[in-house]
């Protein structure tokens, strides 16, 4: 451990790093019992089609209510679960819970799809497509009610095996989305090698996409180019992190297919979604389902 020396400014920093590593190790060790004890829940954020402003589905987002620390960010604990290997059990729980909920909410009748984030660690398991098929059968859901969101992290894994998995999933009618597009490293290569249905544009591209912003013209051109790229490859484009209605107007004008973000709906706990779902899903096409 680092010694406290006033002449060595790094010592304090070392200690902080050690403390942080200890906290991470502690949290990582707590994950299995958190899963057993039901400390995880899923929240759901609505997704909309821009052409007719209809609800198309929800993205499920995991939440951990830690008994002492309160809410811990998935960005933090998903990475820990990936390191410890618990991501496989946790990921299976997430998939089951999201599909069970989609079934309970009559997604097939409402023509809605549940988007589930899948860790590259789980997606690249050889039997992943079988797991998905089994869960869909258990829940009585057609594949078209499920969308799986993966990130470019897959590139660092076995891309060929993952591509085969993606083909098998798509044969079940499941859609595959590339999440956080544009923020990683090998985006274009992934598009070339990995069978996909949807490109989700990372929310970093939304920040400047505001009429009046000094870099608006450039941000709009970039967004326009990404929409064209996706459509040229036969993919749908969904923008995430849409925080204002003026961004929404720009996206619609550019031909972006879908949108998701705080301007449209916050991620909400299941009971809140269930409460609003009938109104959201049955809005007549002459009116807008958008809030
Ligand atoms: P993601 O899949 O890209 O999810 C979108 C994130 O953006 C979510 O953060 C969501 O709450 C947030 N968000 C939604 N609308 C807006 C907006 O308008 N503005 C801003 N600034 N943020 C918005 P969250 O829930 O904290 O999740 C963060 C990341 O953690 C996710 O990014 C995903 O990579 C991972 N994650 C979340 N749930 C799961 C899960 O069930 N399984 C796996 N493997 N990863 C998950
Ligand atoms: Mg996602
Ligand atoms: Mg994303
Ligand atoms: Mg993200």
């Amino acid at each position: 451990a680092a010694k406290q020396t006033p002449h060595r400014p790094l010592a304090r920093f070392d200690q902080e790093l050690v403390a942080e590593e200890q906290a991470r190790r502690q949290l990582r060790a707590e994950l299995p019992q958190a899963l057993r004890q039901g400390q995880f829940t899923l929240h759901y954020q609505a997704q909309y089609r821009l052409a007719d402003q209809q609800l198309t589905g929800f993205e499920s987002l995991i939440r951990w209510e830690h008994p002492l620390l309160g809410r811990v960010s998935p960005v933090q604990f998903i990475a820990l679960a990936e390191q410890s290997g618990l991501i496989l059990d946790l990921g299976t729980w997430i998939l089951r819970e999201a599909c069970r909920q989609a079934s309970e909410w009559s997604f097939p009748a409402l023509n809605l799809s549940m988007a589930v984030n899948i860790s590259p660690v789980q997606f690249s398991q050889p039997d992943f497509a079988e797991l998905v098929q089994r869960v869909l059968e258990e829940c009585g859901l057609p594949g078209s009610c499920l969308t799986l969101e993966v990130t470019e992290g897959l590139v660092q894994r076995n891309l060929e095996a993952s591509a085969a998995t993606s083909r098998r999933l798509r044969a079940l009618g499941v859609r595959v989305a590339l999440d956080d597009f544009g923020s990683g490293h090998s985006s274009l290569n992934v598009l070339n090698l990995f069978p996909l249905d949807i490109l989700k544009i990372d929310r970093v591209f939304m920040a400047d996409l505001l009429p009046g912003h000094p870099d608006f013209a450039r941000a709009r051109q970039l967004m326009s180019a990404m929409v064209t790229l996706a459509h040229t490859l036969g993919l749908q484009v969904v923008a995430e992190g849409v925080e204002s209605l003026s961004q929404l107007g720009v996206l619609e004008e550019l031909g972006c297919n879908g949108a998701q973000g705080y301007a449209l709906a916050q991620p909400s706990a299941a009971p809140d979604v269930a409460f609003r779902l009938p109104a959201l899903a049955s809005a007549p096409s002459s009116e807008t389902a958008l809030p």
Side-chain angles (χ1 to χ4, degrees):
K3 259 194 199 158
Q4 192 85 34
T5 326
H7 301 293
R8 208 162 77 80
L10 275 181
R12 211 182 85 79
F13 188 57
D14 286 350
Q15 283 182 337
E16 273 173 21
L17 286 182
V18 169
E20 275 173 27
E21 177 50 33
Q22 259 162 8
R24 273 197 297 272
R25 198 179 310 138
Q26 168 81 33
L27 223 47
R28 190 159 57 225
E30 289 179 26
L31 287 170
Q33 77 165 19
L35 182 56
R36 281 194 305 272
Q37 294 179 355
Q39 291 171 16
F40 295 109
T41 54
L42 296 184
H43 281 206
Y44 303 91
Q45 186 178 32
Q47 299 179 318
Y48 293 90
R49 184 165 49 224
L50 287 176
D52 57 5
Q53 310 202 324
Q54 289 299 297
L55 180 75
T56 54
F58 292 85
E59 178 178 11
S60 65
L61 296 159
I62 193 167
R63 298 291 177 256
W64 182 11
E65 208 60 58
H66 189 284
L68 298 175
L69 300 172
R71 190 163 287 180
V72 183
S73 167
V75 176
Q76 203 182 346
F77 70 78
I78 290 290
L80 296 175
E82 285 172 341
Q83 290 162 12
S84 73
L86 188 79
I87 193 65
L88 298 181
D89 286 346
L90 184 59
T92 300
W93 178 82
I94 292 166
L95 184 66
R96 279 219 163 82
E97 178 60 14
C99 287
R100 187 199 62 74
Q101 192 63 82
S103 171
E104 189 186 305
W105 284 339
S106 308
F107 273 26
L110 299 172
N111 198 17
L112 296 176
S113 186
M114 181 67 84
V116 181
N117 292 287
I118 305 291
S119 160
V121 176
Q122 184 167 32
F123 198 93
S124 57
Q125 293 294 303
D127 60 352
F128 181 66
E130 273 90 75
L131 172 70
V132 171
Q133 182 167 19
R134 203 160 358 107
V135 171
L136 287 171
E137 279 166 12
E138 280 169 20
C139 297
L141 280 183
S144 59
C145 287
L146 182 64
T147 302
L148 299 178
E149 297 192 0
V150 291
T151 59
E152 293 164 0
L154 266 187
V155 194
Q156 277 112 49
R157 310 228 130 226
N158 188 343
L159 187 56
E160 236 165 75
S162 297
T165 297
S166 185
R167 271 190 291 276
R168 287 157 71 198
L169 289 167
R170 295 178 75 217
L172 299 173
V174 174
R175 270 167 294 208
V176 180
L178 187 61
D179 206 349
D180 303 340
F181 178 74
S183 67
H185 300 292
S186 315
S187 323
L188 297 178
N189 193 38
V190 177
L191 294 184
N192 197 22
L193 298 173
F194 193 75
L196 280 173
D197 300 281
I198 299 162
L199 216 56
K200 269 190 104 171
I201 309 295
D202 195 86
R203 68 164 175 265
V204 297
F205 297 101
M206 289 308 120
D208 302 350
L209 198 74
L210 267 177
H213 189 284
D215 296 322
F216 172 63
R218 220 178 36 176
R220 190 179 180 282
Q221 278 172 337
L222 186 54
M223 190 64 207
S224 172
M226 289 192 287
V227 170
T228 303
L229 172 67
H231 288 169
T232 303
L233 295 171
L235 308 176
Q236 302 257 299
V237 202
V238 174
E240 66 176 357
V242 179
E243 294 184 357
S244 84
L245 292 176
S246 46
Q247 288 171 328
L248 201 67
V250 177
L251 292 166
E252 195 181 342
E253 196 182 292
L254 293 178
C256 185
N257 303 97
Q260 184 183 346
Y262 297 158
L264 302 166
Q266 298 277 334
S268 309
D272 298 329
V273 175
F275 181 72
R276 285 178 291 132
L277 191 56
L280 283 175
S282 67
S285 53
S286 56
E287 285 174 32
T288 66
L290 282 176

